[in-house]
Amino acid sequence: MIAQVEVTVHGPQRVSHPGYYPCCLQQGPMIIGNYKIYTNNPNDPIATIWVDRQWVNGYSEDNLVDSNNCVYGPQPDCDKVYQGAIDYTHTYDFDASRFPPPGGKVTLSMDIYAHCTFDSNYQGSTSCYQGCSLNYIADYNPQK
């Protein structure tokens, strides 16, 4: 039986401080990784949404602030830099037969990254100034 769940992640607001490094930090969640649901063992998930890190909210290396521009110029106009939504919502289908009976505990686990910049001078690397690992335990009570 296929069922569906929707998860919303609320991210940080945009931060601007021209003349400093980094000068513009965009809003909302930017990368989510290790996104899964499990019961007792995180190494044996009952649903894996994705294993690696994924860009979310419309972000990619192509629309992040280049941190070198903050230092060497030209400084970006923080009001014109791409901004994803403050919230990121993801809906996915899963095999309900893998879940425990109603009332059983499940854990939603993910790594969330925000306030990321791109460094074109340092091997094209992405740096994120905020991040957290989320492990949310809930009763599994599917709607009928």
Side-chain angles (χ1 to χ4, degrees):
M1 173 182 191
I2 299 297
Q4 195 173 69
V5 69
E6 182 175 277
V7 174
T8 299
V9 177
H10 183 73
Q13 294 183 350
R14 178 182 79 123
V15 177
S16 299
H17 29 90
Y20 295 94
Y21 174 82
C23 51
C24 295
L25 293 173
Q26 295 149 291
Q27 74 179 10
M30 301 173 101
I31 300 171
I32 294 179
N34 301 315
Y35 187 2
K36 60 189 167 187
I37 299 173
Y38 61 91
T39 51
N40 299 321
N41 182 354
N43 295 320
D44 185 23
I46 54 177
T48 300
I49 293 66
W50 56 69
V51 176
D52 296 321
R53 295 177 183 158
Q54 301 286 325
W55 289 102
V56 298
N57 243 355
Y59 287 107
S60 70
E61 293 99 343
D62 298 330
N63 60 10
L64 297 181
V65 169
D66 186 335
S67 55
N68 292 297
N69 290 344
C70 296
V71 178
Y72 306 112
Q75 286 216 346
D77 181 344
C78 298
D79 291 330
K80 294 182 180 176
V81 173
Y82 172 79
Q83 295 293 326
I86 196 84
D87 293 329
Y88 170 71
T89 299
H90 183 240
T91 303
Y92 57 95
D93 296 328
F94 61 90
D95 180 358
S97 68
R98 299 218 39 202
F99 278 67
K105 300 285 187 198
V106 294
T107 301
L108 168 72
S109 176
M110 65 173 68
D111 298 328
I112 306 166
Y113 302 90
H115 283 172
C116 302
T117 60
F118 182 72
D119 186 336
S120 60
N121 288 342
Y122 188 69
Q123 302 171 358
S125 66
T126 300
S127 297
C128 298
Y129 294 87
Q130 283 194 336
C132 66
S133 292
L134 172 75
N135 289 293
Y136 179 76
I137 300 170
D139 291 329
Y140 176 64
N141 290 312
Q143 294 178 348
K144 296 179 182 183

